[in-house]
Amino acid sequence: MAAFTGVCADIVAAQRRAGRFALTAAERELFGRWHEEAAAEPTEANLPLRLLTRPFSPRPIPEYYRYTSLHVHEWFLADAPDPVAAAALALRLTLADLLDLERRALPELPYLAERVELLTGLTTRVADLPATPRSRVGELPVDETRAFLLLGCSGFPQSDKHEEHVFLRSVQACELVFFLVRRLALPAGSAFRLRQLGLFADLLNGIFEVLTTLTPERFMSFRAETGDASAVQSMNYHLMELVVHGHDPRREEIFARFPHLSCLRGEPHVEVQPLRRVVAGLGRPELDELCAAAERALLVWRGRHYGFARKYLPDSKGSGGTDGWAYLKRFVTKNAPPVPEVDLAAFACL
């Protein structure tokens, strides 16, 4: 498959016309009905239709998932013999697709030069990471049809602003890293997997470096159209935090606010121990060092996330009903000792 055809081509064209936000109520209702009809009798032939129309389903889907189309990534990873390798491949494909988009826009938008340079370096870096003990991410085989569906069914901004593409793909890339980190954290006794964990976790900082080529003014040009699609609704992120840092009672208010996160409340999740504590119990100093390196990468990313929110949304509430950057600030450092010295003011200036 190299292109969408028939009704799928029409659905793609409608969403690209002026962004999803501009779709009429009748179009949304129609796409939702098509999804329910296809989902009632799922086949390989109607898979593209199901993937393209799920964000319009009348089912109770959190806004974050409608916006990000993460159901497409879930499909891509489902039943993969090696979920880590599959997620690493999806990450490479996602960033490469964004790079191609920005390169094509560069002649008309010269300010994208820095973004293109950073993305070029980041995609090269991802390709060189170890996917398995015997192969790097760039060496993984690509099923062209699956790759086409992954990218073609997930790249629909809400607005007609070019800048929203880097935001949307960055969110999707971060979600893939969250998945990689939580899968690599367990079991905790493998030096190779802990080393992978640290390398992939640090990609979050590279992704945010790309994202900060988006100016606050250009970010605000499309922010309203994203509505209530807050990343605080991300199950994947909260599971990563749980696996790496253990239960954090400060998140209970969020888990109570969103029904799909309520399963994270109470047992057995309150008993989950921080990864560093589990690793320390193994009595292998080399694993302690690898775990600390991964935690440092995640600490820097949390600081960057806080800094981004403070710089880009200084006076705004978070789209998920939180108090915005002040909410993120509370979670930059963790309670488990030792807590590194953190210069929050420096992060806020990033």
Side-chain angles (χ1 to χ4, degrees), residues 263-277:
C263 62
L264 298 178
R265 306 181 73 191
E267 296 182 355
H269 301 98
V270 294
E271 305 298 329
V272 176
Q273 297 296 307
L275 179 62
R276 71 165 72 182
R277 192 171 299 164

Side-chain angles (χ1 to χ4, degrees), residues 302-316:
R302 291 193 301 274
R304 284 179 180 267
H305 192 188
Y306 155 71
F308 182 93
R310 182 157 185 181
K311 179 178 179 180
Y312 287 64
L313 300 167
D315 303 313
S316 302

Side-chain angles (χ1 to χ4, degrees), residues 237 241 245 248 250-251 276 299 302 330-340:
Y237 167 72
E241 284 281 293
H245 300 293
D248 188 337
R250 297 175 297 173
R251 297 191 184 274
R276 71 165 72 182
L299 169 65
R302 291 193 301 274
R330 296 203 300 272
F331 296 98
V332 171
T333 56
K334 302 296 179 181
N335 292 328
V339 175

Side-chain angles (χ1 to χ4, degrees), residues 53-122:
T53 55
R54 180 170 168 76
F56 307 100
S57 169
R59 302 177 193 187
I61 300 173
E63 286 304 311
Y64 176 72
Y65 289 98
R66 292 187 191 273
Y67 175 64
T68 55
S69 295
L70 289 175
H71 64 281
V72 181
H73 302 77
E74 181 181 18
W75 159 79
F76 189 84
L77 300 178
D79 302 321
D82 184 343
V84 168
L89 175 60
L91 177 61
R92 182 177 74 81
L93 293 172
T94 298
L95 293 172
D97 184 71
L98 177 61
L99 174 58
D100 180 63
L101 177 81
E102 302 291 19
R103 278 176 172 162
R104 285 186 279 113
L106 184 57
E108 294 184 13
L109 302 173
Y111 66 84
L112 295 176
E114 180 188 9
R115 186 178 303 165
V116 168
E117 181 180 358
L118 289 171
L119 273 169
T120 300
L122 185 59

Side-chain angles (χ1 to χ4, degrees), residues 33 42 60 76 99 186 196 307 327 334:
R33 186 167 70 249
F76 189 84
L99 174 58
L186 298 173
Q196 272 185 301
Y327 168 82
K334 302 296 179 181

Side-chain angles (χ1 to χ4, degrees), residues 66 116 118 162 183 236 287 296 299 301 328 330 335:
R66 292 187 191 273
V116 168
L118 289 171
H162 175 84
R183 292 301 295 252
N236 197 29
L287 298 186
R296 282 194 296 272
L299 169 65
W301 173 75
L328 295 173
R330 296 203 300 272
N335 292 328

